Amino acid sequence: MLKVMTSKEKKFMAGAMLIFILSCIVSLFSGHYGFSVNDALDVFWKVVRKQELNASELTLWRVLIDLRFSRLLATCLAGAMLAAAGVLSQGLFRNALAAPSVLGVTSGASFFAAMFFYLGWGEGMPAQLAIASVFGSLVVLGMLHAFFKYFQGSVEIIIFLGIALNTIFGALTSFVVMFLVEDYQRAPQIMQWIFGGVANRHWTDCLWTMPILFFALIAGSRIALQLDVLSFGQLAAQSMGVAVKRLHFWTITWIAVLVGAAVAIVGGVSFVGLIVPHVGRMMIGARNLPLLLFSAVNGASLLILSDVIARTLRPSAEIPLGVLTALLGGPFFLTLIVSRMRGKLSQ
């Protein structure tokens, strides 16, 4: 019987869960409005017992739930979804560089979501915004998969095409934003969303993504096992009973759903799907099933802690979350490319 996780993978998973719990605690108690754990517990028990809160306790409760818990839930869900999408994307294209942000999937989702904003439908409609984002992800992934088949599985060409699509859709998004600059009501909202962030997110805006992540991890677990077989080659996978076309279809679908839902929550946050799976692969190995679960937890922790840094590093103004992850991911991506080029030159 196939083990879901080896003893080594379980130890790393336990460590990842511990870091995740600590990240959640840090997120809830980090910010300009300070309060102790005892104060938070006292107010929590009062709310549970339906006791009346005084003015200071009511303020604490609103800060804790409406602001910090909302940010925590949004970054947790989006980070897990982006990291899981990165594992599936890298498994599908059989390359550690094939992250959604590198391949232009995130940019495609952002462009269609920006069009949604331009049409005046972005505010207060998170589920509809996600549909637009998912559609954009599907468009890019469909193009990449068509090229992947046309060039007979040449991953290097797909990476270059993905970078080109990333640039094209990024330029189209900027073109849409240009028309919204003079709209003083919508311009700040779309700019904040494009740069990435959760400042205006409420926890109720994220509830619809919880079943998406749940079912994506269930479906992704089954897909991950088949991607392990696909890593031996398409012919070998077919000989082992893997329906390759169906596998490609469902993998692309779930990548698009995960990226689209994440973009709808946090906006243009990149490189989570590149950094987390790659580091996870170095720690626990290349088996896609444990890597998927391990990366989902670590992706949540990464985005939670990034949000903590974004809102506390500069007290006068919050750093956009997408800018912070790009500062982390850009050098990381460059390092991966340089190391691969050195490997090829040394052969």
Side-chain angles (χ1 to χ4, degrees):
M1 185 177 177
L2 181 66
K3 286 186 177 180
V4 176
M5 283 192 173
T6 63
S7 58
K8 174 188 174 183
E9 291 164 348
K10 287 178 181 178
K11 289 178 182 178
F12 275 107
M13 190 66 180
M17 290 300 299
L18 179 60
I19 293 172
F20 171 71
I21 293 169
L22 292 174
S23 301
C24 293
I25 295 171
V26 170
S27 178
L28 288 174
F29 292 93
S30 297
H32 306 306
Y33 185 87
F35 53 85
S36 66
V37 177
N38 289 333
D39 292 337
L41 290 175
D42 289 341
V43 172
F44 176 77
W45 285 117
K46 278 191 174 184
V47 172
V48 171
R49 295 169 184 171
K50 297 182 179 180
Q51 296 178 0
E52 189 175 352
L53 303 178
N54 59 39
S56 61
E57 291 172 336
L58 186 60
T59 301
L60 189 154
W61 181 250
R62 286 176 176 171
V63 169
L64 186 64
I65 299 300
D66 293 337
L67 296 180
R68 295 187 187 171
F69 178 72
S70 296
R71 300 182 74 117
L72 171 62
L73 185 61
T75 50
C76 172
L77 292 170
M81 287 188 288
L82 289 171
V87 173
L88 295 178
S89 179
Q90 291 172 14
L92 176 65
F93 292 107
R94 303 193 290 277
N95 192 292
L97 297 178
S101 56
V102 177
L103 295 177
V105 180
T106 305
S107 294
S110 298
F111 168 67
F112 279 87
M115 287 296 297
F116 200 76
F117 271 104
Y118 176 73
L119 296 171
W121 300 335
E123 189 174 357
M125 303 177 72
Q128 291 88 334
L129 182 62
I131 293 172
S133 301
V134 168
F135 182 76
S137 301
L138 282 172
V139 169
V140 176
L141 281 166
M143 294 171 66
L144 287 173
H145 189 254
F147 282 121
F148 189 68
K149 291 176 66 177
Y150 180 78
F151 290 108
Q152 299 178 345
S154 176
V155 178
E156 288 78 9
I157 292 177
I158 294 303
I159 297 296
F160 287 124
L161 285 170
I163 293 172
L165 290 174
N166 196 10
T167 304
I168 292 169
F169 280 107
L172 289 173
T173 303
S174 300
F175 190 70
V176 172
V177 172
M178 183 181 67
F179 287 99
L180 289 172
V181 170
E182 296 180 358
D183 189 333
Y184 298 106
Q185 291 183 337
R186 289 188 292 168
Q189 181 187 15
I190 192 172
M191 290 300 295
Q192 183 187 51
W193 178 83
I194 284 175
F195 284 122
V198 289
N200 295 324
R201 286 285 174 264
H202 193 265
W203 62 270
T204 54
D205 297 333
C206 307
L207 292 179
W208 60 272
T209 61
M210 296 178 71
I212 289 178
L213 178 60
F214 176 75
F215 288 113
L217 289 177
I218 292 176
S221 298
R222 185 173 179 180
I223 289 171
L225 294 173
Q226 296 181 347
L227 289 176
D228 286 335
V229 180
L230 186 64
S231 64
F232 294 105
Q234 186 168 320
L235 293 176
Q238 287 175 336
S239 67
M240 295 180 195
V242 175
V244 175
K245 289 184 178 179
R246 185 185 302 172
L247 175 61
H248 285 180
F249 172 80
W250 284 113
T251 307
I252 286 172
T253 300
W254 279 111
I255 293 171
V257 169
L258 287 167
V259 172
V263 167
I265 298 175
V266 297
V269 173
S270 58
F271 289 112
V272 175
L274 173 69
I275 298 173
V276 177
H278 191 81
V279 174
R281 195 174 284 106
M282 291 191 295
M283 295 174 71
I284 67 170
R287 287 205 311 138
N288 282 296
L289 177 54
L291 183 62
L292 177 73
L293 304 176
F294 186 65
S295 296
V297 175
N298 286 329
S301 300
L302 175 63
L303 214 56
I304 289 169
L305 293 176
S306 296
D307 178 58
V308 171
I309 295 171
R311 70 176 190 255
T312 58
L313 189 62
R314 189 184 175 199
S316 59
E318 183 175 319
I319 301 172
L321 188 58
V323 172
L324 195 60
T325 57
L327 287 173
L328 290 171
F332 187 86
F333 182 50
L334 183 61
T335 303
L336 287 180
I337 293 176
V338 171
S339 63
R340 281 175 172 264
M341 292 301 295
R342 284 180 178 174
K344 286 187 176 182
L345 291 173
S346 62
Q347 291 177 354

